[in-house]
Amino acid sequence: MRVPFLSYAAFAVTVQAQQLYLTTTGHSAEPQCTQSNVTPDYRFKPFSYTLNETVRYATSIPSPTTSRTYASAYTDVAKHLSTSWSTTTWGSWVPGNTDISATDSDDPYGQAAWSSMWKQADLHNYTTTGMFSTTVSPTPVPSSELVLPPQDYFGPTDCYKFPKDFVFGVAGSAAQIEGAIALDGRGPSLLEKLVPDSKPKDFVTNENYFLYKQDIQRLAAMGVQYYSFTIPWTRVLPFALPGTPVNQQAIDHYDDLIDTVLDAGMTPVVTMLHFDSPLMFVAGDNITKHPDIGYNNAGYQNETFVDAFVNYGKVLLSHYADRVPIWVTFNEPLLYAFNFKGADHVIKAHAQVYRFYHEELKATGKIGIKFNDNFGVPKDPRNSSHVLAADRFQEMQLGIFANPIFLGKQYPESVLKTLPGAKPLSKSELKYINHTSDFFGIDPYTATVVSPAVEGIHNCAANSSSSNSLFPYCVNQETKNVYGWNIGYRSDSYVYITPTYFREYLYYLWNTFRHPILVSEFGFPVYAEAEAEELSDQLFDSPRSLYYLSFMSEILKSIYEDGVHVMGALAWSFVDNWEFGDYAQQFGIQSVNRTTQQRHYKKSFFDLVDFVRTRQPKEE
């Protein structure tokens, strides 16, 4: 069964827009001026220099005076849990250091067993630590760093205010910023083996594991309201499986991180799994990457995965649900679970964690899942085959997960007829999975132009064993429209500035899956930003400002003009980070000196925060 795409409505809107474009004779419509016939009055006046720049200061979030809880504390929750978790601590894995030699070889989860996991990971060019080995105490952000930069000439002209409960903040992921990968008991993850040795690894990155207090203080000083971060599975449960010990050092670390966020006046948003699944779920080095849909052996299809993830989710929720109001189970599972078994496991694991949160913990916050999907728009919206291709593209990227979770509906026919091994969910499974997300998380970085495969979708999809690079979507994806223009201003990666498509996408998601939408990531790596010789040139990132302000403005229009419930937006990323083997694609709104780990605010950070602040409703 196809996901309802509102094809005819989207088709009509797009055609109408194109007809309007085709009848336009110039670059813009004639200005609507009320005094266009007034004769100019030329005159002389005294001249004096004026200061063009307006000096304004960012305002930090005030510390809270009261605290709010969303579930019982762990000490109370533990009494009612059917499963108890033993805790322990491990050391750090430092190759060649005899201090890590252990004599507890009889203990299946002891120091020797833990060290053995890292030896088997066989990391090349391993760097254990960067500059720091303990948590760094924060220092106040100098006021000189908080002077806002000069404004761009043009800016958004909307007159709307964000709803009072709108979630605005920034995001990051542990795998991309923490470093300290084999320290304090963390076990190996997929990401340590995924990236070729010729590219930068995740061994050190931004050292956020030690610098989190300073990073949080810098966000608070800018007035950020929500901080979205991830907790690594292998740091909490190095051996991953149910019944294995919980790392007490990890529990204490993230307990303090959450409290630090709250003490700074911000609200934490926590994601449970952001690509860094335990390495033990992956069979040897058999990690294969499809050029379009991601990694086909990332552990999600392992038969022990569902029970292991549910156990991990219960550990996190039991310890931290009292203070964290928004949870995400899986980040962008399409990239690491796009085979049928992997997707099926994600859906079933997510549903169990959701029900534990609401039905057993009786928690009052929100828990959901977030997806990646660069909105597919028909290359020629007047061509029905292009519209159907866009329908299929959305079905296979979103419908495979969202149909059961948000609508209680079966997997799309396109999935069942295309993916090897696909089989329908039973009625009882659909009933259990239905409505197991409080919001629809989406990372809508950009759009993509879609048209059917040359040989036709049916012919492409019928042969799963072929080497056709378009399988399983069986559609072409481009970045130029039917007239040959780029769909937007290009970045240093796949992202183009596409705000109008973004608004159309929000309309589609709301009216198709009928849940509040959380824009859980969006961001823009400015072209060749990393190559700029002067730091000041990297910091004055007007293209990124344009991206953020245009997207935020379209969110407001979507809310007030289209009736779409957008519950919030989280900018990616709060700092330049490790983009899975790459530091050149800089998504951050802060720069990082890789030698000193010093951070600097970029212009886009000020512009984004200022945009939101000036559009917040006044306190009553």
Side-chain angles (χ1 to χ4, degrees), residues 521-575:
E521 287 181 28
F522 68 127
F524 188 82
V526 175
Y527 183 77
E529 182 179 274
E531 299 174 17
E533 295 182 3
E534 294 288 337
L535 174 62
S536 60
D537 291 335
Q538 291 195 34
L539 301 184
F540 208 100
D541 57 341
S542 287
R544 186 178 285 110
S545 291
L546 172 61
Y547 175 92
Y548 277 126
L549 301 194
S550 64
F551 271 53
M552 294 299 287
S553 185
E554 290 303 307
I555 285 176
L556 286 170
K557 294 174 187 176
S558 183
I559 292 171
Y560 289 101
E561 298 178 21
D562 301 336
V564 176
H565 184 179
V566 183
M567 65 174 273
L570 303 168
W572 182 272
S573 168
F574 78 91
V575 68

Side-chain angles (χ1 to χ4, degrees), residues 492-494 525-526 530 576-579 582-588:
D492 202 54
S493 70
Y494 65 93
V526 175
D576 288 336
N577 57 37
W578 181 68
E579 287 293 336
D582 187 7
Y583 284 117
Q585 294 182 41
Q586 298 184 167
F587 279 84

Side-chain angles (χ1 to χ4, degrees), residues 156 158 162 166 374-375 442-447 487-489 495-503 505-506 519 521-524 543-559 566 568-571 608 611-612:
D158 59 85
F162 286 102
F166 189 83
N374 299 325
F375 185 43
I442 191 68
D443 300 348
Y445 283 86
T446 192
I487 55 173
Y489 182 85
V495 181
Y496 290 71
I497 300 179
T498 54
T500 53
Y501 291 127
F502 171 57
R503 179 177 170 187
Y505 191 24
L506 294 174
V519 180
E521 287 181 28
F522 68 127
F524 188 82
R544 186 178 285 110
S545 291
L546 172 61
Y547 175 92
Y548 277 126
L549 301 194
S550 64
F551 271 53
M552 294 299 287
S553 185
E554 290 303 307
I555 285 176
L556 286 170
K557 294 174 187 176
S558 183
I559 292 171
V566 183
L570 303 168
L608 177 58
F611 178 93
V612 175

Side-chain angles (χ1 to χ4, degrees), residues 47-218:
F47 168 80
S48 64
Y49 288 102
T50 59
L51 180 67
N52 292 321
E53 292 78 14
T54 300
V55 180
R56 295 170 294 146
Y57 289 88
T59 305
S60 62
I61 298 293
S63 298
T65 56
T66 60
S67 60
R68 180 180 175 186
T69 58
Y70 307 90
S72 299
Y74 177 72
T75 52
D76 296 322
V77 170
K79 305 173 188 176
H80 308 291
L81 294 175
S82 58
T83 303
S84 60
W85 300 291
S86 62
T87 61
T88 189
T89 59
W90 293 271
S92 298
W93 186 66
V94 185
N97 188 337
T98 56
D99 293 339
I100 67 166
S101 59
T103 59
D104 58 351
S105 56
D106 292 336
D107 185 348
Y109 307 119
Q111 182 68 41
W114 181 86
S115 299
S116 177
M117 287 194 298
W118 281 106
K119 292 175 183 177
Q120 292 173 14
D122 189 28
L123 304 184
H124 302 144
N125 305 318
Y126 176 64
T127 302
T128 54
T129 60
M131 296 177 59
F132 307 100
S133 58
T134 59
T135 301
V136 176
S137 297
T139 57
V141 178
S143 59
S144 59
E145 291 191 41
L146 297 173
V147 179
L148 277 75
Q151 291 183 324
D152 290 323
Y153 188 76
F154 294 105
T157 57
D158 59 85
C159 300
Y160 300 117
K161 300 287 186 182
F162 286 102
K164 286 186 177 181
D165 59 351
F166 189 83
V167 173
F168 165 69
V170 297
S173 85
Q176 297 173 260
I177 62 173
E178 273 195 353
I181 64 156
L183 306 183
D184 290 357
R186 180 186 178 281
S189 78
L190 164 73
L191 295 178
E192 280 78 73
K193 296 293 289 184
L194 181 65
V195 177
D197 291 333
S198 60
K199 293 189 174 184
K201 296 278 195 167
D202 61 339
F203 303 153
V204 176
T205 63
N206 293 14
E207 296 199 76
N208 172 264
Y209 184 74
F210 301 116
L211 295 172
Y212 67 94
K213 289 181 181 290
Q214 187 67 37
D215 279 337
I216 290 168
Q217 183 144 318
R218 289 185 62 83

Side-chain angles (χ1 to χ4, degrees), residues 291-302:
D292 186 37
I293 60 177
Y295 299 91
N296 293 328
N297 185 11
Y300 290 20
Q301 65 270 39
N302 188 291

Side-chain angles (χ1 to χ4, degrees), residues 74 77-78 81 83-87 237 242-246 310-316 318-319 356:
Y74 177 72
V77 170
L81 294 175
T83 303
S84 60
W85 300 291
S86 62
T87 61
L237 287 161
T244 62
V246 174
V310 172
N311 175 70
Y312 165 58
K314 289 180 177 180
V315 172
L316 293 189
S318 299
H319 283 86
F356 174 79

